[in-house]
Amino acid sequence: KEIRRFKTEHALDYSEENIVTTLHLMNTHLIDKDSAFDQTSFGGSDNGIDGWHYNERRGELFIYQSKLSENYSIVLHGLRDLMTATNWLSSVIVKGKVQKYPKNKTILNLYMLLARKKQDIKKIHLVLVSLMSDNELEDAPEYKKTENFIRKSELYENLHDNGNRIVLEIE
């Protein structure tokens, strides 16, 4: 109901998952609609990232993958997308380069931010936004697989070596 109202009020023709990410950014980080749109990915080539937010004061980067479904396997696909996001973030933060320059405006915004701020990041939150309970998803083998993937990543190693953290979360 909230999603339909928001779409109508702002004359938007985006998917409900995109709008959920926008609303989540606005509500969680208390940012305005325009900032939330700039940090919400619309379309393809998003490298597993549906939205992002950087809290400069705390040095925290939030990466969101939204799965607005009650279908268990579709929601679990969001965890695979967060592994894709981890690989992309590793390329940018650890290696300082990507295979292809981002065509997606939101990912380009993130890329440009990371180019300037990657040394200031103290914590990365990889967040799956879902209708399903966090307990149900955290018990899934795919959740453990995603956690292990993140712990074995260059990104984890790089952050950990510098006294920083990366965490997997469900909201």
Side-chain angles (χ1 to χ4, degrees), residues 86-98:
T86 301
N87 281 335
W88 186 81
L89 290 167
S90 289
S91 295
V92 177
I93 293 172
V94 179
K95 297 175 186 167
K97 60 183 177 179
V98 290

Side-chain angles (χ1 to χ4, degrees), residues 78-137:
L79 293 170
R80 288 191 296 274
D81 290 336
L82 287 173
M83 288 192 278
T84 300
T86 301
N87 281 335
W88 186 81
L89 290 167
S90 289
S91 295
V92 177
I93 293 172
V94 179
K95 297 175 186 167
K97 60 183 177 179
V98 290
Q99 289 181 349
K100 292 188 291 185
Y101 196 69
K103 293 179 182 175
N104 182 306
K105 181 183 143 234
T106 300
I107 303 307
L108 178 59
N109 289 341
L110 176 57
Y111 178 79
M112 299 304 281
L113 174 102
L114 292 174
R116 294 186 323 270
K117 301 288 184 179
K118 65 183 177 183
Q119 68 282 353
D120 299 331
I121 297 172
K122 300 195 180 348
K123 187 174 186 180
I124 297 176
H125 302 260
L126 297 170
V127 184
L128 176 62
V129 179
S130 169
L131 298 172
M132 302 184 105
S133 79
D134 53 349
N135 290 335
E136 186 176 5
L137 293 171

